[in-house]
Amino acid sequence: MSRKNMEDELLARMFTAAAMGGEKERMALMELFMLKTQSLPEVMQEWLEEYAVQGNIRAQELYCTLAVSGGVKQCDWIRVEQWLLKLAETKPKNAYMLLGTLYTPSAFGYNDAKQAAEYFRKGGESGSGACWAGLALLYREHFAEEHSLEEIRELFERGFELGGVVPHSYETLADVCHELGDEEASMRYLKKYHKFVPDDARNCLILGYNYKFGKGCRADAALALKYYQKAANLGDGEGLFQVGLAYFEGSGVSRNYKRALDYFKRATEAGNPRGYFCLGMAYIEGKGAGKNEQKGVAALEIGAELNDIQCCMALVSCYLEGIGVEKDAGRVKELIEQARGMQAYAAEPLIQQAIDTLEARFLAESEDVNER
């Protein structure tokens, strides 16, 4: 019998015993359930609410924890706040954390960021690291214009020193440090976050990028590939593309065009249009597959339809030179206009310069044809 099956069987027996037992047995089972799943079946919610109403302090704490996480339907928020204010007399750290969460603008509880900040600060002053981190996150999301990045960073770090901070706080602080220009600190917190949440594709991509380009660390192509591969294993399109690029360029791994093409195909299937550019150029140049200019142009056309600027610019050359297609000045003009209209690249000097070069070439060849 597997470990999971054994745990399920044990849980089933405990549920039966608790259903037939008293308050003590049921409370123990509910604590176990919330520890494992952060939720409770409906029958257990009924038990928990009954004991909380009867004055069981631990039941009130569990019920409030469940409520502020959205686990209670048709919740009486006034009652929840009353229980938490009473709990604050003996357990201020947890009570103020829950009170701050109760008032943080969200789908659950109230919508009063200022009151949330007051409760988080009280919790922080009582020694709760989670409350300082909660206040930092609140400032970041709702009071960014009133509180500097330096202040937000200081609050997060104060919270880490006290402990009890949720892992996602490391991710947010990494973003803050990046915006402050402290790439080494950003990298440090990204790696801390990865230890807690190894299956976060976004975090894996950022770590891969930083190792690839030496942002906040020594450039290391093999480590970059390691993190890109983790993102790829999670089905992330950018991760799949970057692994393909590593095999295509021989960066951090032996060059292997066939494997690169496989990853590029998977990247496009996962919704990443950049894979079409690499696929198209691989077919046009005959790398990793038999040379097939028509097939390459077809891939580039799909990428261009998805507004991939590299595909647009590669197609300009194809239609100018007749690579895989008939020369077509009208299509060249359309593609240049499409590239010009991509706002994401309007402030990228090198890309705009490349578009200028293609346009100048097109105009020069058009004049040459007219002169003939």
Side-chain angles (χ1 to χ4, degrees), residues 304-315:
E305 289 178 7
L306 297 171
N307 271 336
D308 181 79
I309 196 164
Q310 287 183 296
C311 287
C312 287
M313 294 171 71
L315 281 171

Side-chain angles (χ1 to χ4, degrees), residues 10-278:
L10 177 61
L11 210 55
R13 290 180 180 178
M14 288 180 63
F15 186 91
T16 300
M20 299 173 63
E23 182 174 336
K24 182 179 179 180
E25 292 80 8
R26 289 179 177 180
M27 284 296 299
L29 179 62
M30 288 186 286
E31 291 205 41
L32 178 62
F33 251 88
M34 287 187 64
L35 182 64
K36 281 182 167 291
T37 67
Q38 304 298 309
S39 63
L40 284 180
E42 187 174 344
V43 65
M44 290 191 189
Q45 282 195 33
E46 292 175 359
W47 295 344
L48 187 61
E49 185 172 8
E50 177 186 348
Y51 299 142
V53 170
Q54 290 174 359
N56 184 313
I57 302 300
R58 181 55 178 158
Q60 291 175 355
E61 184 176 10
L62 290 177
Y63 185 88
C64 293
T65 301
L66 190 66
V68 299
S69 66
V72 176
K73 295 180 180 179
Q74 298 179 337
C75 186
D76 183 344
W77 297 112
I78 294 176
R79 184 174 64 180
V80 166
E81 184 173 17
Q82 289 173 344
W83 284 343
L84 287 174
L85 288 171
K86 182 179 179 182
L87 182 67
E89 298 173 4
T90 55
K91 293 185 176 180
K93 294 180 183 180
N94 193 39
Y96 284 123
M97 183 65 203
L98 292 172
L99 282 164
T101 306
L102 173 65
Y103 274 91
T104 296
S106 68
F108 316 112
Y110 299 120
N111 188 340
D112 188 337
K114 289 186 176 180
Q115 183 62 60
E118 183 179 333
Y119 281 132
F120 281 138
R121 185 166 291 281
K122 285 184 177 180
E125 290 169 351
S126 71
S128 169
C131 282
W132 286 127
L135 182 61
L137 188 60
L138 189 74
Y139 284 172
R140 170 78 168 171
E141 295 182 351
H142 299 283
F143 298 102
E145 295 181 359
E146 301 174 32
H147 299 276
S148 68
L149 289 172
E150 289 83 357
E151 181 183 0
I152 292 171
R153 175 178 179 173
E154 190 275 332
L155 286 171
F156 269 126
E157 292 181 339
R158 190 187 306 179
F160 294 150
E161 290 176 2
L162 293 171
V165 177
V166 296
H168 282 281
S169 293
Y170 287 113
E171 180 187 32
T172 305
L173 180 53
D175 290 342
V176 169
C177 290
H178 169 70
E179 292 176 34
L180 285 168
D182 190 344
E183 297 296 352
E184 288 187 9
S186 179
M187 192 64 172
R188 184 166 64 251
Y189 291 121
L190 286 170
K191 289 191 286 187
K192 284 180 179 290
Y193 174 61
H194 183 72
K195 288 182 180 179
F196 288 103
V197 190
D199 294 336
D200 187 313
R202 174 185 179 270
N203 188 57
C204 291
L205 289 175
I206 298 174
L207 285 167
Y209 177 88
N210 286 352
Y211 276 116
K212 182 174 182 177
F213 296 103
K215 299 288 186 180
C217 59
R218 178 177 56 84
D220 189 321
L223 274 177
L225 177 58
K226 171 187 171 182
Y227 287 106
Y228 282 139
Q229 185 69 65
K230 286 186 176 185
N233 292 344
L234 293 167
D236 183 86
E238 181 64 17
L240 289 162
F241 172 78
Q242 290 293 342
V243 173
L245 198 60
Y247 277 109
F248 195 83
E249 297 175 343
S251 177
V253 68
S254 298
R255 181 170 296 182
N256 187 321
Y257 289 133
K258 288 186 177 180
R259 291 203 71 180
L261 259 65
D262 175 62
Y263 275 102
F264 291 146
K265 289 176 183 176
R266 290 167 61 190
T268 62
E269 291 167 0
N272 188 313
R274 293 209 289 166
Y276 287 110
F277 169 74
C278 292

